[in-house]
Amino acid sequence: ASLAVLCLLLALGLKAGCLSVTDRSRFGPIYFDRGRITYSRILNRRDRLGDLLVREGVLGPEQLTAALEAQTKTPDTKLGELLVQRGDITSEDLARVVRFQIEEAIYHLFTWSRGSFYFEADNRPEDADILVSISPDSLLLEAARRVDEWSLIEKKIPSLDLIFQIDQERARESFSEMTPEQQRITMLLDGAHTVLEIADETGIPEFDVGKALFGLIQAGFASRVGKREQEKIRGKESEALERRNLG
């Protein structure tokens, strides 16, 4: 079954619980309450709440650093909750950015073409800063559009482990004509960073990094120079890892 079908079935059935999806070393839960999505995240992925708040101009880098230092003294306090308590952000700012973060996690899950799933009824998220209430219908339409667009991007960027390099001289000459995302990733297209590492360092979602890079490749500014080798997991070992993730 496709992830879209699973989400629609849970929405139509007004289900509450956790849909766990795993693909080898990748794992992500989607939580539902009465058929509406309340929370999602991708495990083994950098937590970008602070990065997103800074990127949106809601929070300053110095404020984020101070809050992270304060969090070490009260590790049980979630970052979003701490930032609101300190007066660095408002509850509305936190809710807006967390909703964006949840939507991006779900869009990322929709790019997985294979994997296993398990639904545990009445399971609630324990590590969420806040919960939202999102209709799966609206997410499915945007996810379908992104999957179609990514199928085109994949022809030039088939893996996030690929490494690209940009012609810095040409990039400087045309810098003002680039999109904001292209401007931010330019310095990291240095022949050393993978696409995934660029997304991690900039806080820009993988889809937006891929879209920005695709434009630079099409314009002849960037070219592929290599790939970061990852440990390959196949066969029964891969199946065992998926089952362990689900567990």
Side-chain angles (χ1 to χ4, degrees):
S2 70
L3 185 55
V5 169
L6 294 172
C7 289
L8 283 175
L9 288 174
L10 294 171
L12 291 172
L14 300 179
K15 298 295 185 181
C18 176
L19 175 66
S20 299
V21 185
T22 184
D23 174 13
R24 290 159 290 186
S25 61
R26 304 184 294 180
F27 175 71
I30 304 177
Y31 290 88
F32 289 81
D33 185 21
R34 294 191 57 79
R36 295 180 70 86
I37 294 172
T38 61
Y39 185 67
S40 181
R41 63 171 299 195
I42 308 295
L43 273 67
N44 301 327
R45 199 172 180 225
R46 180 177 170 181
D47 183 9
R48 296 176 176 164
L49 177 60
D51 295 331
L52 285 172
L53 288 166
V54 172
R55 176 187 168 193
E56 294 295 310
V58 176
L59 187 69
E62 300 81 8
Q63 291 175 303
L64 175 60
T65 301
L68 290 171
E69 289 176 358
Q71 191 183 30
T72 60
K73 300 174 184 177
T74 56
D76 293 335
T77 306
K78 296 179 177 64
L79 178 60
E81 180 184 341
L82 181 62
L83 288 168
V84 173
Q85 289 175 358
R86 289 165 55 91
D88 293 329
I89 63 172
T90 65
S91 300
E92 292 75 17
D93 289 332
L94 177 62
R96 177 171 55 83
V97 173
V98 167
R99 181 187 178 99
F100 174 80
Q101 189 179 32
I102 291 170
E103 290 174 347
E104 287 296 324
I106 294 171
Y107 296 147
H108 185 73
L109 284 171
F110 269 86
T111 65
W112 297 2
S113 59
R114 63 171 297 264
S116 306
F117 68 88
Y118 177 75
F119 182 73
E120 185 176 358
D122 300 321
N123 191 351
R124 310 279 179 178
E126 297 179 355
D127 58 347
D129 283 282
I130 61 172
L131 299 180
V132 297
S133 180
I134 305 173
S135 168
D137 293 343
S138 61
L139 287 185
L140 293 178
L141 288 173
E142 174 62 14
R145 184 192 69 79
R146 290 194 179 205
V147 168
D148 287 343
E149 195 168 350
W150 189 257
S151 64
L152 178 63
I153 295 172
E154 267 188 327
K155 294 178 181 178
K156 297 291 184 181
I157 314 170
S159 169
L160 297 180
D161 297 324
L162 294 179
I163 299 171
F164 290 83
Q165 190 166 26
I166 195 168
D167 185 329
Q168 293 292 346
E169 185 175 347
R170 288 189 63 196
R172 280 193 296 270
E173 293 173 355
S174 305
F175 190 78
S176 61
E177 301 172 12
M178 296 181 184
T179 66
E181 289 78 12
Q182 288 174 335
Q183 291 176 349
R184 291 184 63 190
I185 70 173
T186 296
M187 295 306 297
L188 294 175
L189 294 171
D190 54 4
H193 288 79
T194 66
V195 179
L196 184 59
E197 288 168 346
I198 292 172
D200 279 339
E201 290 200 25
T202 59
I204 302 175
E206 289 96 336
F207 176 81
D208 292 330
V209 170
K211 188 175 180 180
L213 178 55
F214 179 78
L216 293 172
I217 296 170
Q218 289 289 87
F221 284 75
S223 58
R224 175 178 169 178
V225 295
K227 181 178 182 180
R228 184 71 46 78
E229 291 299 325
Q230 301 289 340
E231 182 182 358
K232 296 181 180 180
I233 304 174
R234 295 193 179 95
K236 292 184 177 180
E237 185 181 354
S238 173
E239 182 180 351
L241 183 56
E242 287 192 5
R243 294 183 181 277
R244 187 159 64 246
N245 278 335
L246 286 171

